[in-house]
Amino acid sequence: MFLMVLAIWGQAQTPPTAPEQAAAAVLENIGKPMLVPFRCTDEDMQWAGMSCTEEEPCPVYFEVTAAEPIGDKIFVAGNIHSSTVTLFSVLLGSEDDGKTWREVHERIRGAGLDHIQFADFANGWTSGEALSPLPQDPFLLITTDGGKTWRQQPIFSEAQPGSIQQFFFSSKNSGSLIVDRGEGNDERFGLYESPNGGESWLVKQVSNKPLRLPHGPEQEPNWRIQADRSTQAFRVEHRQGERWTPAASFAVGVGVCRPTPLESKPPEELLPTATPPIPIIKRPKR
């Protein structure tokens, strides 16, 4: 997906908002692609192993992977990534039918979000996993208050490779999901069921061939994500009869990563490491 995005989109833009302000930032939908706040730090580049320079900065992109409505609320999931590594997960929510947006869960470093589902007006789930260096530690973000707050719940009690291929909750308590552990695993696919809204999972079947969920949505989805080359954005659309109507649009390019200039660093980061004083040893008098 990274290569596809790079082939489509041009030079990224640099937003003015710092990462610590991202969760509180409100994005206004005025008919143009909205820019998800992002400012790359030296810590981000060090964690990701990115070799960015002032002369050749590394472009950073926002990818929309899922959209789901509940009443007049809309939720959008995705991730912020460079051309080689996923940097942060992003979960956006709108409470006014797409007019304004804000982040409803803190960003998770190195993770991506894939699917969203609500069983009713209160209970919903978003699937995700860590993506560096390979998909691992799948989890759900769970809400029980209609998306006002979300909390992270791991699928497994211990670290394991794999990603959530698909999931479905038939009620606020009963759910099932399929984990793909990746190529080279004799039991690549696993079917799990939860009796308590995703709090815990029991394995029901493992196979080296793809599995199917026992239950799933019967109707065609009324929401979709479209890549728009002309505006360099991901467009969120919903079906109205035979037509697809845009509900929101998010810019792909969200910034660049480059080293922080020395003159911009706080004074304490420029000071050399102090040499510890030589201890004075008092010898007993003779």
Side-chain angles (χ1 to χ4, degrees):
M1 188 63 179
F2 293 154
L3 295 178
M4 183 277 288
V5 171
L6 280 176
I8 294 178
W9 314 119
Q11 182 66 31
Q13 305 172 52
T14 303
T17 313
E20 58 270 18
Q21 298 172 320
V26 176
L27 306 181
E28 295 188 12
N29 185 359
I30 58 174
K32 298 180 180 180
M34 290 174 281
L35 192 64
V36 172
F38 180 72
R39 188 183 69 189
C40 190
T41 67
D42 291 341
E43 181 184 358
D44 295 332
M45 290 186 291
Q46 182 178 5
W47 173 86
M50 299 168 67
S51 300
C52 313
T53 65
E54 183 66 29
E55 294 76 18
E56 296 184 3
C58 303
V60 180
Y61 309 95
F62 176 53
E63 179 182 6
V64 179
T65 56
E68 182 74 9
I70 181 70
D72 58 358
K73 301 177 183 178
I74 311 171
F75 295 91
V76 165
N79 64 81
I80 292 174
H81 63 86
S82 71
S83 60
T84 57
V85 63
T86 298
L87 298 171
F88 293 99
S89 67
V90 176
L91 182 60
L92 294 161
S94 171
E95 295 185 350
D96 51 16
D97 206 25
K99 296 180 178 64
T100 59
W101 297 78
R102 67 179 182 86
E103 293 190 39
V104 294
H105 188 272
E106 63 271 16
R107 297 176 181 180
I108 305 172
R109 185 186 291 278
L113 304 177
D114 306 309
H115 307 285
I116 311 173
Q117 189 218 335
F118 277 83
D120 50 40
F121 284 96
N123 297 276
W125 303 264
T126 301
S127 62
E129 54 277 327
L131 294 172
S132 295
L134 295 172
Q136 58 187 309
D137 302 335
F139 61 85
L140 291 174
L141 299 182
I142 302 176
T143 180
T144 56
D145 57 10
K148 292 181 180 179
T149 60
W150 300 75
R151 59 183 176 82
Q152 186 176 352
Q153 180 68 28
I155 303 301
F156 305 117
S157 57
E158 298 179 350
Q160 291 192 28
S163 60
I164 299 176
Q165 189 180 58
Q166 51 183 316
F167 74 90
F168 181 75
F169 282 83
S170 57
S171 69
K172 68 176 184 179
N173 294 320
S174 180
S176 56
L177 59 78
I178 294 175
V179 170
D180 180 358
R181 294 186 176 86
E183 297 181 1
N185 195 308
D186 293 336
E187 298 179 345
R188 175 173 177 175
F189 301 98
L191 172 63
Y192 297 82
E193 292 185 357
S194 174
N196 50 20
E199 297 294 335
S200 61
W201 294 87
L202 302 174
V203 61
K204 293 298 180 180
Q205 184 181 357
V206 293
S207 173
N208 60 358
K209 296 182 180 180
L211 298 172
R212 294 174 63 95
L213 291 175
H215 306 286
E218 298 179 356
Q219 60 185 15
E220 289 292 323
N222 289 321
W223 289 75
R224 70 181 186 183
I225 310 299
Q226 292 287 96
D228 189 336
R229 183 190 298 267
S230 62
T231 61
Q232 300 188 10
F234 282 106
R235 198 168 63 241
V236 179
E237 299 179 335
H238 64 101
R239 189 197 304 270
Q240 291 185 326
E242 299 298 323
R243 297 178 55 191
W244 287 94
T245 303
S249 180
F250 297 92
V252 170
V254 295
V256 296
C257 285
R258 54 162 58 95
T260 302
L262 291 178
E263 59 269 19
S264 301
K265 292 188 175 183
E268 59 270 17
E269 294 187 14
L270 301 177
L271 294 176
T273 304
T275 303
I278 299 176
I280 299 176
I281 302 176
K282 294 185 178 180
R283 302 182 181 276
K285 294 182 179 180
R286 295 182 178 180

